[in-house]
Amino acid sequence: ERGCVVVDFDQFYAAVAMRDRPELAERPLAVGGALVLTANYVARRWGVRSGQPGFVAKELCRRGKEFGMPSVELTFVPAEYEKYAEVAATAMEVYREYDPAVSCGMGYDECSLDLTHYLRRRVRFGSHARASLVSGEGCGCPAGG
């Protein structure tokens, strides 16, 4: 039996933008322009979603009153792929502590880990410590099977 998990950062591109510009954390925020690459959880309350045309996302926020929400301006920030690569590289260092053969071909924000050998070592040495994956980059990343 194998112990595998998928690690997927929450609102990854938006999380990196909010890490660098904390004042954006409480505002509806989208990364992209003509197309929404991702949105923070604040923007998602207005119905802003990944893959949505930017003009639709802006209108959802402006027309919030029609949907029982206040009218707000959606803040757009451009994608910064170099920063995403840096965060992903830091996370990869952490992942290798648990799975030396890890490969993250799913994109910057998602990775599959085989924890089988790590967990067997922990049991063999009498420690039942829970594995904790933390990127150290200020971006949350839950892991699950």
Side-chain angles (χ1 to χ4, degrees), residues 37-111:
L37 299 176
T38 193
N40 68 357
Y41 292 127
V42 177
R44 291 177 190 185
R45 292 194 310 241
W46 274 263
V48 178
R49 301 285 183 263
S50 299
Q52 209 168 44
F55 75 91
V56 171
K58 286 180 183 179
E59 278 302 303
L60 286 169
C61 290
R62 282 190 196 124
R63 295 172 58 188
K65 289 181 182 177
E66 295 174 35
F67 311 106
M69 300 288 287
S71 178
V72 295
E73 285 297 316
L74 179 64
T75 300
F76 264 96
V77 296
E80 298 184 84
Y81 294 105
E82 189 173 299
K83 287 184 181 182
Y84 309 146
E86 290 170 10
V87 173
T90 300
M92 184 67 96
E93 290 174 25
V94 175
Y95 302 155
R96 284 195 180 104
E97 293 176 25
Y98 298 93
D99 178 5
V102 67
S103 174
C104 293
M106 299 182 201
Y108 291 123
D109 67 330
E110 197 171 317
C111 195

Side-chain angles (χ1 to χ4, degrees), residues 8-41:
D8 188 351
F9 277 86
D10 291 335
Q11 58 185 2
F12 182 64
Y13 296 169
V16 172
M18 292 183 298
R19 176 200 66 180
D20 295 345
R21 295 181 53 197
E23 73 276 8
L24 297 176
E26 299 303 317
R27 292 192 223 164
L29 171 69
V31 177
L35 188 68
V36 176
L37 299 176
T38 193
N40 68 357
Y41 292 127

